[in-house]
Amino acid sequence: MKNPFLYVLVLGIIFQISCGPKKVEQTRFLTFKANPSYIGSHPTVGLESNIFIVDKESKMQFNIDMVGINETKTYKLHIHAADTSEPYGYSGNPIIDLGTMTNNLPITGDVTTMPFSEFTENFKGYYIVHDPDNISNDTTTLLIFGKIGSDW
């Protein structure tokens, strides 16, 4: 063989063609800062939550980390639908329960109840992180309270 590079290049092209087209994953990255309306005793300086949402074929995958939390506390993370008929402007029950964060360890959760396209194009909701010492729906008790879903 006179040109091994050419041989490797041809094999690579054949391999790529034989694998066929692949679905491109859709993603969304969001950062939420501390709720400016929060009036509790939990420190909020530097508090933020990062969410990376990946569209998988049959589910959405949420990868979440938080900065500025107390490692000894347990934080509940939810997504609620916007609902102006409710006292605080959102549904009392979560549409998506993202789980709890403890020991400042990132969490990953799968959501099968709503496709990525529906979530990012039509859904209007709020991402909520509750104060671990004061679980309430009053927006002044929420550490993080921000719009999520479609760009609304």
Side-chain angles (χ1 to χ4, degrees):
M1 173 169 294
K2 294 185 179 196
N3 190 343
F5 174 74
L6 183 60
Y7 177 72
V8 171
L9 179 64
V10 170
L11 280 177
I13 291 171
I14 291 170
F15 177 75
Q16 187 173 10
I17 292 170
S18 68
C19 291
K22 297 197 170 135
K23 180 183 176 204
V24 176
E25 288 184 337
Q26 296 183 68
T27 62
R28 178 146 312 162
F29 181 79
L30 306 163
T31 297
F32 293 89
K33 303 289 185 185
N35 176 10
S37 300
Y38 175 74
I39 58 171
S41 60
H42 190 288
T44 57
V45 174
L47 179 67
E48 72 178 35
S49 180
N50 299 299
I51 302 177
F52 185 62
I53 308 169
V54 181
D55 178 19
K56 300 290 186 177
E57 288 201 21
S58 60
K59 63 187 175 189
M60 285 188 290
Q61 185 178 66
F62 284 76
N63 301 290
I64 305 168
D65 71 359
M66 290 183 65
V67 178
I69 62 173
N70 183 328
E71 293 182 8
T72 64
K73 305 276 185 182
T74 300
Y75 297 82
K76 295 183 182 212
L77 290 68
H78 298 131
I79 295 176
H80 293 255
D83 185 347
T84 55
S85 69
E86 292 290 327
Y88 300 110
Y90 66 92
S91 61
N93 293 319
I95 299 298
I96 300 172
D97 183 352
L98 296 169
T100 58
M101 181 168 287
T102 56
N103 299 324
N104 203 21
L105 297 173
I107 61 173
T108 298
D110 294 334
V111 174
T112 58
T113 56
M114 185 181 308
F116 183 86
S117 59
E118 173 71 18
F119 185 78
T120 58
E121 295 170 15
N122 301 316
F123 180 75
K124 291 176 172 47
Y126 292 97
Y127 172 60
I128 292 174
V129 177
H130 291 277
D131 180 339
D133 297 323
N134 186 9
I135 304 296
S136 169
N137 286 339
D138 181 340
T139 56
T140 63
T141 67
L142 304 174
L143 290 173
I144 293 178
F145 179 65
K147 291 180 177 180
I148 194 167
S150 65
D151 296 325
W152 62 292

